[in-house]
Amino acid sequence: MSKRQVFHSVPKGNGWAVEQSGKVISNHRTQAASESAAVKAGHRAQDIGGLGQAVLHKSNGQIREERTYGADPRNTKG
């Protein structure tokens, strides 16, 4: 089973960042740019045969949406 790679689009200072395992992997001026980068990273994880997930946060830090890419082994709704 492949390990899931999770990419968070989070507010950071005066901008936004994409984080993986608690480390910033890219910085962005806008929320939209950060979300796009997180989604692309999730797709790249899928493209190499693994699982990818983009977790998109609101400006207050709460999770707004989660997107999973690849054959998700979990059998859950949503």
Side-chain angles (χ1 to χ4, degrees), residues 5 40-53 68-71:
Q5 294 186 51
K40 285 179 185 175
H43 280 291
R44 277 195 304 274
Q46 176 190 14
D47 290 344
I48 60 172
L51 297 172
Q53 184 174 21
T68 303
Y69 308 102

Side-chain angles (χ1 to χ4, degrees), residues 34-45:
S34 179
E35 289 179 354
S36 177
V39 168
K40 285 179 185 175
H43 280 291
R44 277 195 304 274

